[in-house]
Amino acid sequence: MTDITIALSKGRIFDDTAPLLKVAGIESLDDPEKSRKLILETNRANVRLVIVRASDVPTYVQYGAADIGIAGKDVLLEHGGAELYQPLDLNIARCRMMVAVPEGFDYESAVFQGARLRVATKYLQTAREHFADKGMHVDLIKLYGSMELAPLVGLADAIVDLVSTGNTLKANKLKAVEEIMPISSRLIINQAALKLKREAIQPILKAFSAAVEK
Ligand code: AMP
């Protein structure tokens, strides 16, 4: 039997993917929130899950260390998506990539006046493209987390971050001023694996497609 490795991150993506995996007849034998194991066996002897950081999922799949992965569009845009087959939007872990500023900041006027803004973000590629499309000159500051803090302590004028409920922005007296794009997670497949392990991968892909269409 062909072995299949599926890479995904714990938290939101694992929680939303588990029901889809179940439809494909795959169930994890461990809960990644409780176990410290990075390789989780499933009820199917030939299928295992590897738990990696969300931003590392495309890399594992690109190099074939995992055959299949589940990754947010935000992560795929930063990675570039090279050598990845992206057949399916799973419509899970949905949120929006937004520009946000402090509540009292007049973003419209700053843009209109051509102010050169400092923007803190984890999503450099996406932010660069967005502001270039608007013809805005910005200084991008790369952060790895808690972007919301940057405008509060004078590190940046604005942030580019994912917004789901908006509660984090509100709790930090920030407001969203621009939507860059809607985000959801996608299935990604290693191109060589798709050819060499077609018989094992196709049924999983089919089950995911059917589950998503429901
Ligand atoms: P919220 O307070 O619900 O708007 O969530 C915002 C926080 O959760 C921010 O720190 C985001 O980076 C993070 N976040 C929201 N949605 C997602 C998602 N789908 N994937 C990863 N991070 C997210």
Side-chain angles (χ1 to χ4, degrees):
M1 227 185 322
T2 315
D3 287 331
I4 296 290
T5 300
I6 303 174
L8 72 179
S9 51
K10 58 183 181 180
R12 213 176 317 233
I13 288 186
F14 185 91
D15 296 346
D16 286 0
T17 303
L20 301 177
L21 284 170
K22 203 168 172 184
V23 173
I26 300 165
E27 288 183 63
S28 176
L29 299 184
D30 281 297
D31 176 353
E33 298 299 339
K34 294 192 184 125
S35 169
R36 302 183 82 108
K37 284 187 201 162
L38 299 174
I39 300 179
L40 306 182
E41 302 302 326
T42 71
N43 60 325
R44 299 246 308 258
N46 66 322
V47 180
R48 61 182 186 168
L49 310 177
V50 292
I51 303 299
V52 303
R53 227 190 134 108
S55 49
D56 290 334
V57 169
T59 307
Y60 277 83
V61 178
Q62 176 188 357
Y63 288 98
D67 304 298
I68 296 175
I70 289 105
K73 186 178 176 191
D74 52 323
V75 164
L76 289 166
L77 288 171
E78 293 302 306
H79 173 271
E83 297 163 60
L84 297 173
Y85 176 54
Q86 299 183 32
L88 192 60
D89 183 348
L90 299 174
N91 243 325
I92 59 172
R94 290 171 62 181
C95 58
R96 293 174 295 161
M97 182 78 75
M98 309 276 294
V99 180
V101 297
E103 275 169 6
F105 186 85
D106 188 350
Y107 180 71
E108 299 296 320
S109 299
V111 172
F112 184 71
Q113 287 160 12
R116 189 172 182 122
L117 298 183
R118 285 211 296 190
V119 180
T121 187
K122 191 157 99 177
Y123 306 102
L124 285 186
Q125 305 294 347
T126 308
R128 188 174 294 125
E129 209 164 293
H130 173 70
F131 292 111
D133 284 350
K134 284 174 67 81
M136 276 174 73
H137 291 286
V138 295
D139 294 313
L140 294 175
I141 300 173
K142 167 86 181 178
L143 288 179
Y144 292 87
S146 300
M147 271 81 83
E148 295 87 358
L149 178 64
L152 307 181
V153 294
L155 178 60
D157 304 299
I159 61 170
V160 167
D161 194 8
L162 300 177
V163 179
S164 177
T165 60
N167 289 341
T168 308
L169 292 183
K170 207 185 279 172
N172 292 292
K173 297 194 164 51
L174 300 172
K175 60 179 180 186
V177 286
E178 227 161 50
E179 173 165 340
I180 300 180
M181 67 179 79
I183 298 288
S184 55
S185 292
R186 277 121 210 274
L187 195 68
I188 56 175
I189 304 182
N190 176 276
Q191 286 184 352
L194 186 62
K195 292 192 195 102
L196 299 171
K197 300 185 177 183
R198 197 168 192 94
E199 273 171 36
I201 290 177
Q202 274 305 339
I204 298 176
L205 181 53
K206 256 197 184 151
F208 268 70
S209 307
V212 169
E213 274 163 25
K214 265 194 222 151

